[in-house]
């Protein structure tokens, strides 16, 4: 089943997250930290709190030890909201599933350079489906491995914790990777977004923004906040 969304909504997403003279700061809320029994209400809370994106972690139990959400859950989430769906595939063979995640409502797909699929081919397929493409890397992966793809992607996702489980502490050494990828993007004259995921709160947000990240994934910090909108603003800083 292919989900039909309004042309206006798709154009807004493409324009807001596309390439521009000045990259904006965005907050992507990790649904991994949401109350799964109240997911529809949690999504409404995200919308009311002016969260930019919903971050949807997909784990297959092979690429990482954990198993999380799949296509049936994405289908329900897409039916419940018009928010930008920021899908992060932590799976062994992402190419096998690009069409399915596109059909079920993803707007942005991040996949890992450490996966078994051909990186360039996956990027091409994501773009062929009209979606934004992002390459992710683990903390231990050399940041230089993504440099040759910078002119082809919309975003680079630097994991600031080991992928697989929510609630981990931020790894300070990953700031060097954020800084290196942002410097390379600037050197090449590109305006690719840089996303960070893991241990992001008001304190670590300042550090990753200073290093060059502009898309911040946050889970427990947002969902546990008494005022989610204020918490999101603290991550964006300049809004």
């Amino acid at each position: 089943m292919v989900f039909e969304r309004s042309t206006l909504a798709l154009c807004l997403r493409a324009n807001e997250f596309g390439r521009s003279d000045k990259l904006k700061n965005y907050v992507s809320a990790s649904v991994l930290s949401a109350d799964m029994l109240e997911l529809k209400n949690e999504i409404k809370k995200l919308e009311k709190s002016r969260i930019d994106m919903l971050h949807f972690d997909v784990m297959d139990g092979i690429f990482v030890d954990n198993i999380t959400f799949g296509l049936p859950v994405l289908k329900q989430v897409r039916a419940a909201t018009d928010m930008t769906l920021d899908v992060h595939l932590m799976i062994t063979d992402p190419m096998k599933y690009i069409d399915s995640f596109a059909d079920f409502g993803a707007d942005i797909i991040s996949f890992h350079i450490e996966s078994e699929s051909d990186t360039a081919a996956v990027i091409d397929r994501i773009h062929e489906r009209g979606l934004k493409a992002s390459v992710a890397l683990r903390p231990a992966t050399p940041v230089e491995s993504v440099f040759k793809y910078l002119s082809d992607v919309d975003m680079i996702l630097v994991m600031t914790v080991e992928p697989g489980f929510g609630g981990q502490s931020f790894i300070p050494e990953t700031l060097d990777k954020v800084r290196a990828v942002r410097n390379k993007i600037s050197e090449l004259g590109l305006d690719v977004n840089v996303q960070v995921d893991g241990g992001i709160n008001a304190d670590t947000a300042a550090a990753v923004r200073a290093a060059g990240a502009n898309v911040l994934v946050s889970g427990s910090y947002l969902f546990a906040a008494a005022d989610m909108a204020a918490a999101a603003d603290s991550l964006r800083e300049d809004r």
Side-chain angles (χ1 to χ4, degrees):
M1 178 180 181
V2 179
F3 282 87
E4 296 294 339
R5 282 158 282 162
S6 71
T7 301
L8 175 60
L10 288 173
C11 287
L12 283 172
R13 289 197 188 98
N15 291 338
E16 288 180 1
F17 196 71
R19 314 221 169 173
S20 62
D21 292 334
K22 183 179 184 299
L23 291 172
K24 298 179 181 179
N25 289 337
Y26 299 91
V27 171
S28 190
S30 176
V31 72
L32 198 61
S33 296
D35 182 345
M36 290 296 107
L37 294 180
E38 295 289 339
L39 186 53
K40 190 170 185 178
N41 289 332
E42 294 277 60
I43 291 171
K44 289 179 180 178
K45 185 177 180 181
L46 295 177
E47 293 173 335
K48 291 179 180 177
S49 300
R50 305 183 303 279
I51 304 298
D52 303 293
M53 309 174 196
L54 189 156
H55 190 81
F56 191 87
D57 285 311
V58 180
M59 307 180 194
D60 63 1
I62 301 171
F63 185 79
V64 294
D65 291 337
N66 200 10
I67 298 175
T68 56
F69 319 112
L71 292 164
V73 179
L74 182 64
K75 176 182 177 181
Q76 295 298 317
V77 170
R78 177 77 285 164
T81 185
D82 198 42
M83 288 183 70
T84 296
L85 299 187
D86 170 27
V87 175
H88 179 192
L89 301 181
M90 286 170 269
I91 63 179
T92 303
D93 186 9
M95 177 61 93
K96 183 177 179 180
Y97 296 98
I98 295 303
D99 286 337
S100 295
F101 279 97
D103 289 345
F104 279 76
D107 294 300
I108 304 165
I109 294 181
S110 296
F111 69 98
H112 275 263
I113 196 166
E114 305 93 350
S115 74
E116 295 178 0
S117 297
D118 179 84
T119 301
V122 178
I123 293 169
D124 288 345
R125 188 57 188 158
I126 294 171
H127 283 151
E128 286 168 3
R129 292 305 310 267
L131 309 181
K132 303 296 184 183
S134 168
V135 174
L137 68 158
R138 295 174 182 260
T141 301
V143 70
E144 293 80 8
S145 64
V146 302
F147 284 179
K148 65 180 180 180
Y149 303 108
L150 291 177
S151 61
D152 300 317
V153 298
D154 304 282
M155 184 169 75
I156 295 294
L157 166 53
V158 178
M159 291 299 299
T160 46
V161 298
E162 284 296 334
F165 294 90
Q168 299 182 61
S169 297
F170 180 83
I171 300 173
E173 291 77 11
T174 58
L175 287 171
D176 291 337
K177 286 185 166 53
V178 176
R179 193 173 296 110
V181 75
R182 175 55 71 196
N183 287 343
K184 190 64 175 180
I185 289 167
S186 298
E187 176 187 320
L188 295 173
L190 304 172
D191 53 3
V192 176
N193 296 277
V194 177
Q195 184 177 70
V196 288
D197 181 4
I200 302 300
N201 54 41
D203 295 327
T204 57
V208 295
R209 285 195 313 267
N214 70 298
V215 185
L216 281 62
V217 178
S218 184
S220 54
Y221 175 72
L222 290 175
F223 284 98
D227 186 336
M228 183 183 282
D233 285 340
S234 75
L235 300 181
R236 297 188 192 96
E237 183 192 42
D238 60 354
R239 285 195 181 185

